[in-house]
Amino acid sequence: MWNKAKPSKKRKKLKTELVELICASFLISAFFYLFLSYTSESLADTYLSANGIVLDLATRDVLTAWMKTICFFACIIIFIVIFLVLFGQKIAYLLTIIDGIERLREAEMDFEIALEGNDELTQLAESINFLSRSQRELQEKEQAFHAEREELIHSLSHDIRTPLTSILSYSEYMESRDTLTEENFREYLALVRKKAEQIKTLSELLLGKERRKPEKVENGLLFLEQLAAEWSDGLEEGFVCQTDLSQCQNFQAYLDINEMKRIFDNLLSNVEKYADPADRVSLLIGTKDGLLTLIQRNKKSKIPHQGESLKLGLKSIQGIARAYGGSMEIKEDADNFEITIQISLRQEL
């Protein structure tokens, strides 16, 4: 939330300050006038007495008038100088405010006008500072939104490739078989349709037409068993898989089915790309204290993977986990890889 500039309860009017400056300048000038008049008359009397000069009344009046006139013009100059010095501070502050407005117009938001005094100029400076902060925060939020949107696009694009690869694999397999029973054909067709629907859902998310749809899962243990079975089935041709749900208790929770499938699809995809087929891949699923924990361990392949980086899949998993108030942690070295995903099961619609 932006903090609005709060006007002072006892803010002075600029015109009042202007009148005060004029009065102060006038009083100082009047003091100097009296001081100069008295001093000049004293100096004149001293000089005339010292030189034995006696002036008649008319000449003395003329001399007094000249001295008072000179003192008057001197005091006018003093008044102007004092007023300009005092009011010049306001002029300088006004120029600073104008510079701030110009920088605001040029979209330079990394500035703050120092607050001076307690009048309308101060209030104007506070308003400009507020606009600057608001615009800066708006830009930061806009940049964060674009960055988040960009990451979502990359993440969903990556996730779309997993079911698409499965569809291509199933299609190639059916084409390579000379004979295929009707039961097998229907089974593979159902799998292709299921993956195609998953691609459709991800595409709608990518286009912003679809939103997260958490729904109540009545039998959480059965749901996770199905996901773990799909994960294992997808890897059975190239890997030795081990799933362990012994620490998973039955639960009820609000979960987005497609998001949970995306987590398992990304785990499967990462195993296919980066795990060592000669070693076992394990998946531990457990529930405790309202948290669902998924731990996948595998040895790293000795052959470097050519293609897409592992990080996109991990970012997708991390984003989903955070959406459920959870987290993702990775532990790895040159030979081993372990990922731990935690998801809160205490969320409600």
Side-chain angles (χ1 to χ4, degrees):
M1 291 291 291
W2 295 321
N3 295 322
K4 288 189 176 182
K6 295 182 180 180
S8 174
K9 294 181 179 179
K10 295 182 179 180
R11 194 178 298 280
K12 289 185 179 180
K13 296 291 186 180
L14 186 60
K15 61 182 180 181
T16 302
E17 288 196 340
L18 182 60
V19 171
E20 290 177 353
L21 291 177
I22 293 174
C23 292
S25 301
F26 176 78
L27 290 175
I28 295 173
S29 301
F31 170 78
F32 271 100
Y33 174 77
L34 295 175
F35 174 77
L36 291 176
S37 296
Y38 176 78
T39 302
S40 61
E41 288 183 4
S42 297
L43 291 174
D45 290 340
T46 301
Y47 177 80
L48 294 175
S49 299
N51 290 276
I53 301 173
V54 179
L55 298 177
D56 56 35
L57 184 60
T59 304
R60 190 175 184 83
D61 290 341
V62 171
L63 178 61
T64 301
W66 272 101
M67 287 190 297
K68 289 183 180 297
T69 301
I70 294 172
C71 292
F72 177 76
F73 282 107
C75 288
I76 289 178
I77 295 173
I78 292 172
F79 172 84
I80 294 173
V81 170
I82 293 174
F83 178 78
L84 291 178
V85 169
L86 295 177
F87 192 67
Q89 297 177 0
K90 294 294 180 182
I91 296 296
Y93 192 48
L94 181 60
L95 293 176
T96 301
I97 293 175
I98 293 173
D99 179 65
I101 295 174
E102 185 66 21
R103 293 174 65 177
L104 186 65
R105 188 181 67 84
E106 295 175 356
E108 295 182 28
M109 303 304 161
D110 56 342
F111 73 95
E112 289 280 337
I113 299 175
L115 300 181
E116 298 178 6
N118 188 29
D119 52 28
E120 285 98 333
L121 293 180
T122 311
Q123 184 177 3
L124 179 59
E126 288 176 347
S127 299
I128 294 172
N129 288 341
F130 170 70
L131 288 175
S132 175
R133 288 193 301 270
S134 301
Q135 189 67 21
R136 186 165 60 248
E137 291 176 14
L138 183 62
Q139 288 180 349
E140 291 173 354
K141 289 182 179 179
E142 185 177 358
Q143 290 173 357
F145 171 78
H146 284 303
E148 183 179 347
R149 184 65 180 171
E150 190 76 16
E151 184 175 340
L152 176 64
I153 290 173
H154 285 297
S155 173
L156 292 177
S157 299
H158 170 271
D159 291 352
I160 286 174
R161 300 178 71 172
T162 301
L164 182 60
T165 302
S166 299
I167 290 175
L168 293 174
S169 299
Y170 295 145
S171 302
E172 291 173 359
Y173 177 76
M174 287 189 289
E175 286 179 351
S176 65
R177 296 291 298 269
D178 294 332
T179 58
L180 196 66
T181 64
E182 183 177 352
E183 182 181 354
N184 287 336
F185 177 77
R186 289 184 178 279
E187 179 182 349
Y188 282 113
L189 189 62
L191 289 172
V192 169
R193 180 175 180 178
K194 181 179 179 181
K195 296 298 179 181
E197 289 176 350
Q198 189 175 353
I199 291 176
K200 179 177 180 293
T201 300
L202 291 172
S203 299
E204 289 177 345
L205 278 171
L206 187 62
L207 297 173
K209 296 180 180 180
E210 186 74 19
R211 301 295 178 188
R212 295 180 64 233
K213 291 182 178 178
E215 55 186 275
K216 190 172 184 179
V217 177
E218 298 288 348
N219 193 327
L221 178 59
L222 177 61
F223 174 59
L224 291 175
E225 286 176 344
Q226 293 173 346
L227 292 178
E230 291 180 9
W231 174 86
S232 182
D233 291 343
L235 296 172
E236 64 180 358
E237 293 186 5
F239 298 87
V240 177
C241 299
Q242 178 184 16
T243 58
D244 182 358
L245 287 88
S246 61
Q247 300 180 33
C248 185
Q249 304 296 321
N250 195 15
F251 63 89
Q252 294 182 353
Y254 287 97
L255 299 171
D256 188 307
I257 307 301
N258 289 313
E259 287 182 336
M260 298 302 296
K261 289 181 178 179
R262 284 171 59 196
I263 290 178
F264 280 82
D265 283 344
N266 274 300
L267 292 177
L268 183 151
S269 176
N270 289 333
V271 170
E272 290 179 330
K273 294 175 183 177
Y274 304 102
D276 185 356
D279 202 87
R280 178 179 298 174
V281 180
S282 65
L283 178 64
L284 171 66
I285 303 176
T287 54
K288 185 178 180 181
D289 298 330
L291 282 178
L292 166 64
T293 302
L294 309 173
I295 303 176
Q296 178 186 287
R297 300 185 181 97
N298 60 266
K299 292 285 186 179
K300 289 185 177 180
S301 175
K302 304 301 181 182
I303 303 174
H305 175 73
Q306 302 295 327
E308 188 179 21
S309 171
L310 172 70
K311 293 182 179 179
L312 282 178
L314 296 181
K315 286 183 178 179
S316 177
I317 294 173
Q318 186 178 48
I320 296 173
R322 286 180 175 175
Y324 287 93
S327 62
M328 182 194 76
E329 182 182 0
I330 294 175
K331 297 178 182 178
E332 62 178 323
D333 52 35
D335 300 318
N336 302 292
F337 177 84
E338 177 181 310
I339 178 171
T340 302
I341 305 161
Q342 289 191 320
I343 293 174
S344 174
L345 300 176
R346 293 176 175 172
Q347 297 190 44
E348 296 185 1
L349 288 177

